[in-house]
Amino acid sequence: MPQDFLIIGGGVVGMAAAYGLARRGRRVAVLDEHDGSLRASRGNAGLVWVQGKGSGMPRYAELSLHSSEVWPEFAEELTARTGIDLEYERRGGVDLCFDAEQAEALQAEYRALYASTPALEAVRWSYLDREALLEHLPGLGERVHGGTWSPHDGHCNPLSLLRALYAACQSLGVDYRPATPASAIEATGAGFTVRTPGGTFTSERLILAAGLGGRQLAPALGLSGRVRPVRGQVLVTERLPQGGRLPSPQIRQTASGGYLIGDVLEEVGDDTGVTLETIHQLGERAVQIYPDLARARLVRTWGALRVMTPDGNPVYEASRRFPGAYNLSCHSGITLAAFHAEELAEAIDNDRLEAAYGDFSGARFDVQATG
Ligand SMILES: Cc1cc2nc3c(=O)[nH]c(=O)nc-3n(C[C@H](O)[C@H](O)[C@H](O)COP(=O)(O)OP(=O)(O)OC[C@H]3O[C@@H](n4cnc5c(N)ncnc54)[C@H](O)[C@@H]3O)c2cc1C
């Protein structure tokens, strides 16, 4: 019997959609690649982050704020279903600035963004100088100028999130197929047929959530495959006593005590490696932020590729050429997971993706020549 939905890609975006649809009673199968494939969901920083999201697209800022507000309930529900603790915490966050120029630029960006639509008046933030930040970030180094603080931000263990989504999907009957890459997709009129080395799968509707795999798969379905890899490198220290410090994109202490250090954007194609130069720079900056880390030992480093659309904002789109085919690509799949599992899954289920989220279509990248 064909599935209601086939989802191509078992990262956090595909699994959140699978969870949302299965919870609504739909029959869902997820086809995924193997462990060696490109997987942002297994290499990210775990921030559930609102501040700064949506410059140039205030609606994305609204979605980020909304998702952060429903995240606590989402996390609770996943834990209740699976027994997996997502290590989710929402005590606020700080984006750090290292000089006055950077601080001015960040504040100007936030002022413009949060004044751009009445829906964003609810976003609370303020710029705090180093002295004021000490309350939130004890032991902050003297070379930090200050930072933007917001109470909406939080963080989680992204691997626990993914594990919980797999477990919850399994309990709801989702057919998850690892090492089953889609090699060809065909629209049959009655639905879709997907060929894989493990056999052929059919469904009434199909969701592409293949991350960077969308580059190959999306265009044939009349969907935007315009995503590019942007590498981040991440360092983790040994476990250290909890310092009570709020998370930031530059550094956060995980529930198990290790500090996770990152926040670099590198255009290096599909290379997931790490470089000594960047490890050195990240380590140096971490010690500027928290001088007490100078003697901390690094225990792990990795590189991972972000799934970046041309404007950095999400793509949610329904194919006009092949009704029933959808594409989901985004660079903040952890932050948006709660929204993806609820409102986005509902919009897809009701075939209202275009009506509800038409401004997120990849068609916005097809620039029309004028005059
Ligand atoms: C360094 C770094 C830090 C980040 N930090 C944060 C953060 O703090 N907060 C946040 O919200 N976001 C963060 N992100 C972004 C977040 O990780 C991504 O938005 C999210 O993981 C994207 O999930 P995805 O499911 O779309 O992609 P992926 O995780 O890449 O999953 C795509 C899946 O599709 C599969 N696939 C591809 N092609 C095929 C095919 N042909 N057939 C079957 N399966 C296929 C792949 O194997 C993979 O499992 C970060 C990303 C990086 C790299």
Side-chain angles (χ1 to χ4, degrees):
M1 189 163 48
Q3 301 284 345
D4 295 324
F5 285 93
L6 266 180
I7 298 182
I8 310 221
V12 72
V13 173
M15 295 312 294
Y19 175 56
L21 289 166
R23 224 170 29 159
R24 298 174 62 78
R26 303 295 160 247
R27 283 170 298 137
V28 181
V30 178
L31 308 181
D32 204 5
E33 281 185 314
H34 41 77
D35 282 346
S37 63
L38 300 175
R39 289 175 153 169
S41 303
R42 299 184 188 211
N44 65 79
L47 296 170
V48 179
W49 208 251
V50 177
Q51 55 170 302
K53 296 275 169 70
S55 279
M57 194 181 206
R59 185 107 194 272
Y60 171 35
E62 287 174 35
L63 294 189
S64 301
L65 177 64
H66 170 73
S67 198
S68 84
E69 274 164 2
V70 293
W71 235 98
E73 203 181 318
F74 168 69
E76 246 173 59
E77 186 186 307
L78 275 178
T79 300
R81 278 185 193 274
T82 65
I84 296 169
D85 178 5
L86 308 192
E87 297 171 9
Y88 171 64
E89 189 186 73
R90 192 192 195 212
R91 293 191 300 126
V94 178
D95 197 355
L96 294 167
C97 295
F98 293 85
D99 56 46
E101 199 184 332
Q102 198 189 358
E104 276 309 314
L106 197 62
Q107 289 176 79
E109 181 189 322
Y110 284 19
R111 269 187 227 112
L113 171 62
Y114 297 127
S116 61
T117 152
L120 293 178
E121 279 166 14
V123 174
R124 287 174 54 212
W125 71 278
S126 53
Y127 187 82
L128 301 180
D129 64 17
R130 179 182 167 272
E131 284 300 308
L133 274 183
L134 280 169
E135 178 195 336
H136 300 297
L137 309 174
L140 188 64
E142 290 183 358
R143 291 177 63 187
V144 176
H145 183 278
T148 49
W149 165 86
S150 169
H152 307 293
D153 299 320
H155 59 153
C156 72
N157 179 332
L159 296 179
S160 300
L161 165 63
L162 198 56
R163 205 155 60 81
L165 284 171
Y166 286 129
C169 281
Q170 194 180 21
S171 74
L172 290 167
V174 172
D175 182 8
Y176 172 74
R177 303 288 182 114
T180 310
S183 51
I185 305 173
E186 221 178 286
T188 60
F192 297 88
T193 298
V194 178
R195 284 179 220 298
T196 78
T200 297
F201 295 79
T202 57
S203 65
E204 280 178 24
R205 296 196 270 166
L206 181 136
I207 299 173
L208 203 54
L212 292 168
R215 291 175 292 185
Q216 287 85 41
L217 297 172
L221 288 168
L223 296 163
S224 167
R226 295 191 53 189
V227 283
R228 70 178 201 285
V230 176
R231 186 172 70 184
Q233 296 189 42
V234 182
L235 325 181
V236 178
T237 69
E238 63 184 316
R239 293 176 181 197
L240 294 161
Q242 287 296 336
R245 296 159 165 170
L246 294 187
S248 78
Q250 296 82 17
I251 185 165
R252 72 176 180 94
Q253 190 171 24
T254 64
S256 55
Y259 280 83
L260 197 142
I261 301 158
D263 199 30
V264 284
L265 302 166
E266 300 175 312
E267 303 275 352
V268 291
D270 282 1
D271 180 355
T272 56
V274 292
T275 61
L276 269 179
E277 193 189 350
T278 299
I279 291 174
H280 182 76
Q281 282 167 5
L282 286 173
E284 207 165 46
R285 190 175 62 179
V287 173
Q288 278 179 18
I289 299 170
Y290 297 129
D292 60 1
L293 294 186
R295 302 190 68 77
R297 279 177 303 174
L298 290 180
V299 294
R300 258 195 328 278
T301 63
W302 67 82
L305 303 178
R306 296 178 179 85
V307 181
M308 197 62 83
T309 61
D311 61 6
N313 300 315
V315 166
Y316 304 130
E317 60 183 354
S319 175
R320 291 193 177 160
R321 257 171 56 210
F322 301 103
Y326 311 90
N327 183 27
L328 313 178
S329 304
C330 76
H331 160 55
S332 278
I334 307 303
T335 304
L336 294 169
F339 160 70
H340 290 164
E342 187 66 54
E343 285 86 351
L344 195 76
E346 184 184 353
I348 294 172
D349 195 23
N350 294 330
D351 201 18
R352 292 198 70 257
L353 196 62
E354 173 81 28
Y357 301 102
D359 39 349
F360 288 93
S361 163
R364 68 184 186 271
F365 307 128
D366 301 335
V367 179
Q368 304 284 325
T370 53

